[in-house]
Amino acid sequence: MKMRRMKLRVNHRQLQFLSREEKSGNFQKEGTLGVGRQGGDLTERFCRLRGNLLFILKEKGGKLEQVLLMEKCEVMKLPGGNTQLAVSVVAMAVRVQVQVCVIDTHTHTVRKYCCCKMENADVGVFLTSVCFRGDFPLYHHSRIKVSVYHEEEELPIHTARSFLGFTSFSIRDLFKSKEPHISLSLRTMDGVNEAGEVKVSRLQMEGENEDQTSPEHKCPELCDSLHSSVHDKENSSTMRAALCAQVCKVYRFQTEDLRWLLVREQMSETPLSFSLPKQLLSALIREHTSRVREVRELGDLSPHWDGLRHDVINHCSHLIGCYQGTLSELDKLSVSSCFKSSSSKSDKHLQFVPTNLHAQRMEVTAADSTGVWYEVITFGAPADHHQAFKHGGLKRLLGKHTNQTDSSVSYSEDERCRARELLSSVAQLQPLVFGLAEELLSVSQEQNSTRLQHVLVALNQQTELFVHALKDELVKSALLAIHYQFTANYNSSHVHSNGLLCDNTPANQDGETSSGQQEAEYDEEEWDRVWANVAKSLNCIIAMSDRLQGREERPQDQTPSDQQEVTAGDTNSQNTVSSSFSSASSWQEQLLPLVVTLRDCVREAVGKARAAMTFVILQGAVASSVARGPTQIVQRRHAVFSQALSAVVCGFMLKLLAGLEDPEFLQQLLSVGVLVQFEVLLSTYGDEVGMLEDMEVGVTDLSGVAFTVTEATTEQPEDLLPTLRGAWGCYVVEVPLPPETYTSLPQEVKEGRLIRVHPVLFNIGINQQQSLAERFGDSSLQERVNLQSCERLKVYCQTLTDRAPHMAGIQSLSELLSSLDRCLETRKRKNVEVLWIAATVCRQVNGVRLTSCKSAKDRTAMSVTLEQCVLLRDRHTLSQQHFSTALDYMRRSRLSWGQMLGCYTQPGVSVCGLDSGECPPGPRGSWSDSCWAPKAPRRHLYPVAFLLVTSHLLVLWLILSLVILLAKYQ
């Protein structure tokens, strides 16, 4: 009988007693057998079989040498023997742990790397494999030490284990092997005896074509690929710039057709966690600084408008100070970190940084296909934890502020730019017109017709430019808005930030008031007459000049209105003009009244235009600062938007890099835009209601964001990071690509066309707080958010269907959207099917997926791992019997990485494959127990007594509230 050794921790005294019992009836068989290891010599030993235990004694009644567990035995014929049979006993520990260490051959030091386990497996295949990070110093001469342990049943505090054996090999030996694996013998601690066998396999799938390169030349190449990232075909410069601090886990799962799937899970941090918030803060500082400079350049204003200007300056100056302090703190932190842990989510200086932002990527490689990537971005729900949620989130706070403030006219950035340009043009042209008018009077004394004609031509040109600038409809609409605002706020007062109490009485820019204007109706044609009077005054001057020079045109050539203007302006001068026109003073006297009229008309037009454009600029400044609410609300909104923007940019970069070679996908981005789906697992109870309200506003603000693709100057990581430009409400994120990649893009993409963002948000609470909210609280916020997002999702899908009817999978969208509608109408408790259908639609239209809960730990990890296993089952035929195993192993990876049960990773340091005796920085105790054996979530069962007490307390609270209200109003 040949065997391989098995080591068990058993009661040795009991075994000795069982093997020495004198009654032979207690044994099924006993006698002499040849015992030895496979491939070795056989030695005769006295054996006794009792049940499935085979006792091997040196001689009958002698010392017990070994006990074999006769399970999974294989009977085979010995080579060279006709009658001899052999029973091969495969000894395999039920719970095995493999510890991998790297031996530095130069310094002869051992560095522990990670561990992997096999539990209750019916075959000797480890489902979790060892994968080295890209920054790990691994070369072809490096040696790997493998230590194998047998783990006992887990105890309440720690897990006991016994050493089985160890072996070592070099990377060169692994890659030189003709087979995709090498077999190594385990040795005991003293290195003398064999303790078993370990098979080390390369990451090679069935049917993979072997490279024809000789092993000698292939080893360094394979080591280089291993050093960067195993089988990472997307190890481009852009990917290295977008992702950092990667941790990886590799699995092998069996499909329904009994073939193997190679699954690689990768979780990465990203420098965008700090890069985008810093750029946003800089843009906000520039925007508010420009607004302050803009209103200060308006010059002297009336008391009411000066008070508005003071409000804007105070509001913007406060935000500039706060943002400059935050930016300086982020500059210090971003030098050594690119990650914000959940324990820091309430820090003031990290208010703009997303919490636990990770790129969760899964690559699936089958035997007959290349790797397929699935990405999802996970991060803590974008919310302002620093200001907390005592008074609710952004949606509620903005609603209160909107109800308290009066509606005012708002102007776009383009209209404000036009107003600034018009003010600049008027300020430039008015002195020119006045100067040329004075020069005309001076030249008239010389009676020089040539010079007079030159000056008149110049005056005509500048006046025409002046009138053309005044014809802008913005001036007319602004004057009308001033009248309507005054009528609405007549006799009201307002205290500005400078302490000035202003009554909203009818006042122009010079402070003149008129009580009679209150009842007067505003004439919309008044502004047209104002700028028309300037042109008519100029025509009168030209006509008079022609008359003085003897070139007066016929009266019938003039319009009746021109004749009236000329007659009115020239009545007194005609009585004193001589028939010869020889006196120089008579020329000046004839032109003087007309020049004065022109000046008056210009002054009137300038005054009204300046008042209108000042109103536009002030109203725009107020609408983009003071009207948005107190500085705390504005800062909260900016912080929430910053967190959401960082996550979206990271997801878009991964999606863009994955689809650069797909022209249909690129055309979809240009014609329809990119869908961004937020999957949220927040409850509608307690503080998480405020988080959901914050997130709702932040996701809505993303509608004003657009992407564009640019060419990077170099391939340095800092030059490949996205850049932000624009102002609030119309930000554009420029995604640079290496020159080689950028050149291969379609011309439409290289022209800089914008890629619009279409965000949707679906929330389903799944924790115990949501159970309370559904029983005793209010979940209307969740229902409203889901319904609105469903409508936006329908609009996007309909647009995509109209513009890309032949896109793959487009026909199934209508059925999925109908299912989503039905799920929302049923209003089922914790209806996670809503999230599954929304995620399916998002993947069908090549959208960006983001998953969030409060801190992106437990709930997020459970959701992501479930989604990954469902993808393996539905798209890669993962066998149903391995579904639970795959889910269990993936969730254990999240525990070892620190994503679940608290994010224990320090900034810039990744936790990978922790030993059961090691605990990462953070809470200690039963961490390892929970890490390696996660308990299934308990059902949300509430005792009847608790429900009865809760209902009675609710009734008591209602009665007391009613009593207090009655006492208050009596």
Side-chain angles (χ1 to χ4, degrees):
M1 181 183 68
K2 297 188 176 182
M3 65 178 180
R4 281 181 288 210
R5 188 176 179 182
M6 177 179 67
K7 187 172 182 179
L8 296 175
R9 295 179 65 88
V10 294
N11 191 327
H12 293 282
R13 292 183 179 179
Q14 181 67 18
L15 290 177
Q16 290 280 359
F17 174 75
L18 292 175
S19 65
R20 292 178 180 177
E21 286 191 76
E22 297 298 333
K23 296 181 180 180
S24 300
N26 294 330
F27 301 97
Q28 284 80 22
K29 296 287 183 181
E30 60 179 359
T32 303
L33 293 174
V35 180
R37 296 187 179 278
Q38 188 173 6
D41 297 332
L42 300 180
T43 305
E44 289 190 355
R45 290 289 185 267
F46 184 78
C47 300
R48 284 180 167 180
L49 179 64
R50 183 172 184 175
N52 62 347
L53 296 178
L54 179 65
F55 298 94
I56 302 176
L57 291 80
K58 191 171 184 179
E59 56 186 9
K60 186 174 182 180
K63 181 180 179 182
L64 178 65
E65 288 188 343
Q66 298 182 32
V67 179
L68 297 184
L69 186 64
M70 302 296 291
E71 291 184 356
K72 298 184 179 180
C73 302
E74 180 182 353
V75 179
M76 58 183 179
K77 187 176 180 180
L78 287 176
N82 296 325
T83 59
Q84 292 181 325
L85 298 178
V87 180
S88 178
V89 182
V90 180
M92 182 177 62
V94 179
R95 298 172 58 89
V96 177
Q97 182 188 51
V98 176
Q99 176 181 297
V100 178
C101 302
V102 180
I103 303 175
D104 192 331
T105 56
H106 297 294
T107 61
H108 301 285
T109 57
V110 178
R111 178 179 178 183
K112 183 177 178 181
Y113 186 71
C114 66
C115 301
C116 59
K117 290 190 174 186
M118 175 179 66
E119 294 186 15
N120 300 326
D122 54 356
V123 292
V125 177
F126 285 80
L127 297 181
T128 56
S129 303
V130 177
C131 182
F132 291 91
R133 295 193 305 269
D135 57 349
F136 193 86
L138 193 67
Y139 307 98
H140 67 278
H141 59 266
S142 301
R143 292 195 64 83
I144 307 298
K145 178 184 176 183
V146 179
S147 302
V148 182
Y149 298 87
H150 169 238
E151 287 194 349
E152 303 298 328
E153 294 297 329
E154 296 185 1
L155 300 177
I157 299 178
H158 65 278
T159 302
R161 65 181 186 178
S162 58
F163 179 79
L164 296 180
F166 78 95
T167 187
S168 65
F169 63 94
S170 68
I171 296 294
R172 186 193 304 275
D173 296 337
L174 179 62
F175 289 123
K176 277 185 176 181
S177 174
K178 296 180 180 180
E179 300 294 330
H181 58 268
I182 56 175
S183 298
L184 304 171
S185 298
L186 288 177
R187 297 285 178 176
T188 56
M189 187 66 71
D190 55 9
V192 176
N193 300 321
E194 292 185 2
E197 184 180 89
V198 171
K199 182 183 291 184
V200 180
S201 302
R202 296 197 302 264
L203 296 181
Q204 185 177 16
M205 297 301 295
E206 300 173 7
E208 182 179 355
N209 295 327
E210 291 291 340
D211 192 357
Q212 300 301 322
T213 308
S214 63
E216 291 291 337
H217 294 88
K218 185 168 61 174
C219 180
E221 179 183 350
L222 292 174
C223 288
D224 290 340
S225 65
L226 183 65
H227 180 70
S228 59
S229 182
V230 178
H231 285 271
D232 192 358
K233 298 180 181 179
E234 298 188 355
N235 190 26
S236 61
S237 55
T238 306
M239 190 68 71
R240 291 196 301 268
L243 303 178
C244 63
Q246 301 179 7
V247 290
C248 185
K249 202 79 170 182
V250 183
Y251 312 93
R252 287 203 302 175
F253 300 128
Q254 207 167 35
T255 61
E256 293 179 351
D257 56 356
L258 302 181
R259 306 190 74 177
W260 289 100
L261 283 177
L262 179 66
V263 180
R264 184 158 71 95
E265 248 191 330
Q266 176 182 301
M267 185 170 74
S268 311
E269 299 171 8
T270 170
L272 299 177
S273 295
F274 280 78
S275 173
L276 262 300
K278 288 164 59 178
Q279 294 186 54
L280 178 63
L281 285 169
S282 300
L284 291 172
I285 291 173
R286 290 194 301 269
E287 180 181 349
H288 287 89
T289 303
S290 174
R291 189 168 295 123
V292 170
R293 183 176 61 254
E294 177 182 84
V295 297
R296 281 178 176 169
E297 291 174 352
L298 294 176
D300 296 333
L301 301 176
S302 63
H304 173 65
W305 285 9
D306 188 61
L308 286 178
R309 174 166 62 182
H310 200 277
D311 293 343
V312 172
I313 292 175
N314 277 356
H315 188 279
C316 294
S317 299
H318 182 271
L319 291 177
I320 290 172
C322 292
Y323 292 166
Q324 286 176 341
T326 303
L327 183 59
S328 62
E329 291 293 332
L330 291 183
D331 285 334
K332 299 175 184 177
L333 290 173
S334 60
V335 175
S336 59
S337 174
C338 62
F339 179 74
K340 172 187 172 184
S341 63
S342 59
S343 59
S344 305
K345 61 177 175 285
S346 299
D347 292 357
K348 181 179 180 180
H349 59 279
L350 294 176
Q351 194 176 10
F352 282 71
V353 180
T355 303
N356 282 351
L357 176 58
H358 287 105
Q360 309 268 1
R361 310 178 69 215
M362 180 180 70
E363 183 188 25
V364 184
T365 306
D368 54 353
S369 64
T370 58
V372 180
W373 283 96
Y374 299 96
E375 297 103 357
V376 60
I377 306 300
T378 59
F379 70 118
D384 192 348
H385 294 271
H386 172 68
Q387 295 190 29
F389 311 96
K390 181 178 180 181
H391 303 289
L394 271 174
K395 191 68 175 180
R396 194 184 314 175
L397 294 173
L398 290 174
K400 293 178 181 178
H401 174 72
T402 304
N403 295 332
Q404 294 173 359
T405 56
D406 297 329
S407 60
S408 59
V409 183
S410 178
Y411 293 95
S412 65
E413 182 63 28
D414 179 61
E415 291 174 326
R416 294 201 294 271
C417 289
R418 286 164 52 194
R420 289 192 293 269
E421 292 175 359
L422 197 148
L423 283 178
S424 176
S425 299
V426 168
Q428 181 181 2
L429 292 173
Q430 181 185 8
L432 292 177
V433 173
F434 283 2
L436 290 172
E438 290 293 336
E439 186 178 356
L440 182 67
L441 291 177
S442 301
V443 171
S444 64
Q445 293 180 350
E446 302 175 3
Q447 292 186 338
N448 189 331
S449 299
T450 304
R451 289 195 59 194
L452 183 67
Q453 190 64 26
H454 286 311
V455 174
L456 197 60
V457 170
L459 178 62
N460 184 33
Q461 292 177 350
Q462 298 301 325
T463 307
E464 286 182 355
L465 293 175
F466 180 80
V467 172
H468 180 73
L470 296 181
K471 287 183 178 180
D472 197 325
E473 286 294 324
L474 181 61
V475 182
K476 186 176 181 179
S477 63
L479 290 172
L480 184 62
I482 292 175
H483 174 77
Y484 286 156
Q485 189 181 71
F486 156 71
T487 305
N489 299 329
Y490 186 78
N491 285 336
S492 63
S493 59
H494 174 69
V495 179
H496 296 283
S497 59
N498 58 358
L500 177 64
L501 176 63
C502 291
D503 296 326
N504 291 333
T505 56
N508 58 20
Q509 192 52 31
D510 298 327
E512 300 173 355
T513 62
S514 174
S515 60
Q517 294 179 2
Q518 176 190 2
E519 302 297 335
E521 291 291 336
Y522 180 75
D523 187 1
E524 296 184 9
E525 302 299 328
E526 179 182 355
W527 172 244
D528 294 334
R529 289 194 295 269
V530 169
W531 62 260
N533 286 339
V534 176
K536 292 177 181 179
S537 301
L538 177 64
N539 291 337
C540 292
I541 293 176
I542 294 174
M544 179 58 68
S545 300
D546 292 342
R547 184 187 306 171
L548 292 174
Q549 298 176 73
R551 299 195 306 271
E552 182 181 3
E553 296 180 2
R554 291 184 177 184
Q556 57 268 25
D557 294 337
Q558 296 180 333
T559 61
S561 59
D562 291 342
Q563 293 177 5
Q564 292 177 6
E565 292 291 341
V566 173
T567 303
D570 198 37
T571 302
N572 297 329
S573 61
Q574 284 181 354
N575 297 329
T576 59
V577 176
S578 62
S579 60
S580 64
F581 297 101
S582 59
S583 174
S585 60
S586 62
W587 280 39
Q588 190 176 36
E589 289 175 358
Q590 292 288 332
L591 293 174
L592 181 59
L594 300 179
V595 170
V596 170
T597 303
L598 177 63
R599 287 176 180 173
D600 292 341
C601 292
V602 170
R603 287 194 185 97
E604 182 183 7
V606 168
K608 288 185 176 293
R610 184 172 293 167
M613 297 302 96
T614 301
F615 175 80
V616 171
I617 294 174
L618 269 180
Q619 284 299 122
V622 170
S624 57
S625 58
V626 180
R628 288 178 179 168
T631 54
Q632 293 84 359
I633 295 181
V634 176
Q635 188 172 355
R636 185 187 196 109
R637 188 171 187 175
H638 290 166
V640 172
F641 175 78
S642 173
Q643 297 176 31
L645 178 65
S646 301
V648 169
V649 173
C650 180
F652 176 79
M653 286 191 66
L654 297 180
K655 183 62 66 175
L656 178 64
L657 294 176
L660 284 176
E661 299 178 358
D662 185 358
E664 189 178 69
F665 170 70
L666 296 176
Q667 185 60 38
Q668 174 191 344
L669 293 181
L670 296 176
S671 60
V672 186
V674 59
L675 179 70
V676 177
Q677 187 237 336
F678 290 84
E679 178 182 302
V680 191
L681 305 170
L682 294 173
S683 67
T684 54
Y685 182 85
D687 287 347
E688 293 192 6
V689 176
M691 299 177 199
L692 185 57
E693 291 175 345
D694 275 1
M695 191 171 185
E696 180 185 4
V697 176
V699 170
T700 304
D701 289 338
L702 289 173
S703 301
V705 176
F707 291 95
T708 184
V709 180
T710 60
E711 183 178 5
T713 56
T714 66
E715 294 193 12
Q716 296 298 321
E718 57 272 10
D719 293 331
L720 293 174
L721 290 177
T723 56
L724 186 70
R725 60 178 171 87
W728 179 259
C730 53
Y731 285 116
V732 176
V733 180
E734 297 180 350
V735 180
L737 294 177
E740 182 179 355
T741 306
Y742 183 82
T743 306
S744 62
L745 293 177
Q747 185 61 32
E748 293 180 334
V749 179
K750 293 191 286 187
E751 289 175 355
R753 289 181 54 182
L754 297 181
I755 301 171
R756 295 294 176 184
V757 175
H758 301 271
V760 293
L761 185 155
F762 290 93
N763 179 81
I764 296 294
I766 60 173
N767 58 358
Q768 296 180 359
Q769 282 74 15
Q770 184 62 26
S771 300
L772 291 176
E774 291 173 346
R775 286 178 172 85
F776 311 110
D778 182 18
S779 59
S780 59
L781 173 62
Q782 174 177 285
E783 296 173 0
R784 177 175 55 81
V785 168
N786 291 341
L787 288 174
Q788 291 176 354
S789 296
C790 182
E791 294 301 321
R792 289 196 293 268
L793 185 60
K794 289 180 182 178
V795 172
Y796 179 86
C797 292
Q798 184 60 46
T799 306
L800 181 61
T801 304
D802 295 339
R803 298 184 182 181
H806 303 294
M807 178 179 170
I810 201 73
Q811 304 301 330
S812 61
L813 288 181
S814 58
E815 183 179 351
L816 289 173
L817 293 174
S818 300
S819 301
L820 183 60
D821 268 337
R822 289 193 296 269
C823 287
L824 293 176
E825 290 173 359
T826 55
R827 297 186 179 182
K828 178 184 175 182
R829 290 182 178 178
K830 297 184 179 180
N831 191 4
V832 294
E833 190 176 356
V834 172
L835 302 179
W836 297 343
I837 298 176
T840 304
V841 173
C842 181
R843 294 196 183 278
Q844 201 81 359
V845 298
N846 301 315
V848 177
R849 292 252 309 121
L850 303 101
T851 302
S852 299
C853 62
K854 180 179 180 180
S855 301
K857 293 187 295 188
D858 297 349
R859 282 173 279 180
T860 298
M862 299 288 280
S863 173
V864 171
T865 51
L866 178 60
E867 178 184 1
Q868 290 177 343
C869 289
V870 170
L871 289 172
L872 292 175
R873 182 191 62 191
D874 297 343
R875 299 193 179 187
H876 301 280
T877 65
L878 175 68
S879 61
Q880 189 62 37
Q881 61 181 356
H882 287 86
F883 182 88
S884 300
T885 304
L887 185 62
D888 183 44
Y889 273 91
M890 286 185 175
R891 288 179 174 172
R892 294 186 184 197
S893 297
R894 295 308 194 283
L895 288 168
S896 64
W897 289 346
Q899 186 184 7
M900 296 173 63
L901 300 180
C903 196
Y904 298 108
T905 56
Q906 299 296 322
V909 179
S910 302
V911 179
C912 179
L914 291 173
D915 192 4
S916 58
E918 298 174 343
C919 180
R924 304 189 69 88
S926 60
W927 185 89
S928 59
D929 178 51
S930 302
C931 175
W932 292 116
K935 305 298 188 297
R938 291 175 294 179
R939 297 182 180 273
H940 305 301
L941 299 177
Y942 297 92
V944 177
F946 172 75
L947 296 178
L948 292 177
V949 171
T950 305
S951 60
H952 283 81
L953 290 176
L954 181 62
V955 173
L956 180 61
W957 176 78
L958 291 174
I959 295 174
L960 291 177
S961 301
L962 183 62
V963 171
I964 293 174
L965 289 175
L966 292 176
K968 181 177 180 180
Y969 291 101
Q970 283 181 353

